[in-house]
DNA sequence: CGGCATCCTCTTAGATACTG
DNA sequence: CAGTATCTAAGAGGATGCCG
């Protein structure tokens, strides 16, 4: 909570980049899976259908670097690595859940709107609005 | 609000793609600029530093197609085009603002965490945690 | 002014193979 | 198991030029 505040509408605003990270497709899903406690690498991979091992590693590293996820390595053979949300990471859950909830509840509207839009490639005259 | 609910953790879930769209870097900023009412194309472009005309057009088209933004063309010379949030688009503002607020308020923590992380490339023994 | 089309570049991410 | 490394394909996105 620094007194200095950034402007996301400025090109060089670091907050803009952070926004990119947390809005990232995989970040949203990963943080979502970790809401019930620590998970092993493989467990996360299995829960998020379609994520590649590379993207999972990469995204987890980024989250760890940002202090949002804590990585715990148990030096065994075979190795066991657990990931859990940090306190800061837990505060991120609420906004992300809200976003996810919005997407779910507006999915059908959006789908309908797309169909309408795609169907009418041609328009009329007068001030043309995209939606009546 | 259909009774059918999807699972974002499934690879083929359409909600997942919608989540991608609304989490998009430009979408967040564009929806943010439109919170005070309609804006012309050029006005939006001027407010969002660093956006190219191509990405602005493209993102606005997507939002229009999804029924989140309404495009109004006034057939004048030179043409005048205004964009405004639809009712559905306005409901998106709250979650996006929450996300933006989160990013702003946690920026300094994240920056600090990154520095710490980058500084210590080497680790110790025992169960190794990313953060004490 | 607001855009579309084209070109071209640079980043991403998926697949694959190998390692401690 | 949990990665790292490498290659390649696909797409994001910028620059430019033309048009209604």
């Amino acid at each position: 909570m620094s007194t200095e505040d950034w402007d996301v509408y400025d090109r060089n605003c670091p907050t803009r980049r952070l926004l990119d990270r947390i809005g990232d497709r995989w970040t949203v899903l990963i943080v979502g899976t970790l809401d019930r406690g620590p998970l092993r690498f493989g467990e996360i991979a299995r829960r998020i259908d379609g994520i590649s091992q590379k993207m999972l590693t990469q995204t987890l590293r980024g989250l760890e670097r940002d202090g949002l996820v804590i990585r715990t390595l148990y030096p065994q053979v075979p190795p066991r690595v657990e990931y859990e949300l940090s306190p800061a990471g837990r505060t991120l859950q609420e906004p992300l859940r809200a976003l996810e909830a919005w997407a779910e509840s507006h999915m059908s509207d959006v789908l309908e709107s797309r169909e309408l839009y795609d169907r009418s490639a041609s328009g009329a005259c007068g001030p043309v609005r995209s939606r009546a």
Side-chain angles (χ1 to χ4, degrees), chain A:
Chain A
M1 265 204 236
S2 78
T3 48
E4 173 184 18
D5 43 350
W6 308 93
D7 175 20
V8 283
Y9 292 98
D10 177 56
R11 181 198 312 248
N12 300 121
C13 174
T15 304
R16 195 137 125 180
R17 296 190 176 269
L18 180 56
L19 209 48
D20 288 352
R21 284 207 58 56
I22 63 180
D24 177 77
R25 61 179 344 180
W26 299 125
T27 297
V28 177
L29 296 175
I30 290 174
V31 171
T33 60
L34 292 178
D35 65 345
R36 311 236 180 213
L39 284 179
R40 299 185 60 170
F41 184 89
E43 289 174 324
I44 305 176
R46 246 168 283 120
R47 291 185 192 212
I48 303 178
D49 187 38
I51 194 172
S52 67
Q53 171 254 40
K54 177 185 174 179
M55 287 318 294
L56 181 53
T57 301
Q58 195 171 302
T59 309
L60 282 171
R61 283 286 171 284
L63 289 170
E64 185 195 359
R65 190 171 99 102
D66 288 351
L68 303 175
V69 155
I70 300 174
R71 177 179 185 271
T72 309
L73 162 67
Y74 299 93
Q76 313 170 346
V77 269
R80 172 191 185 85
V81 180
E82 281 192 351
Y83 292 91
E84 65 183 312
L85 291 176
S86 73
R90 251 174 268 130
T91 68
L92 181 56
Q93 286 191 298
E94 194 182 308
L96 288 190
R97 259 200 299 259
L99 207 67
E100 198 180 311
W102 186 95
E104 276 172 8
S105 70
H106 288 77
M107 194 62 232
S108 54
D109 293 336
V110 167
L111 247 34
E112 197 180 336
S113 175
R114 284 183 189 171
E115 235 177 285
L116 226 81
Y117 184 94
D118 295 343
R119 199 174 305 276
S120 62
S122 56
C125 302
V128 181
R129 302 190 119 217
S130 59
R131 230 171 96 149

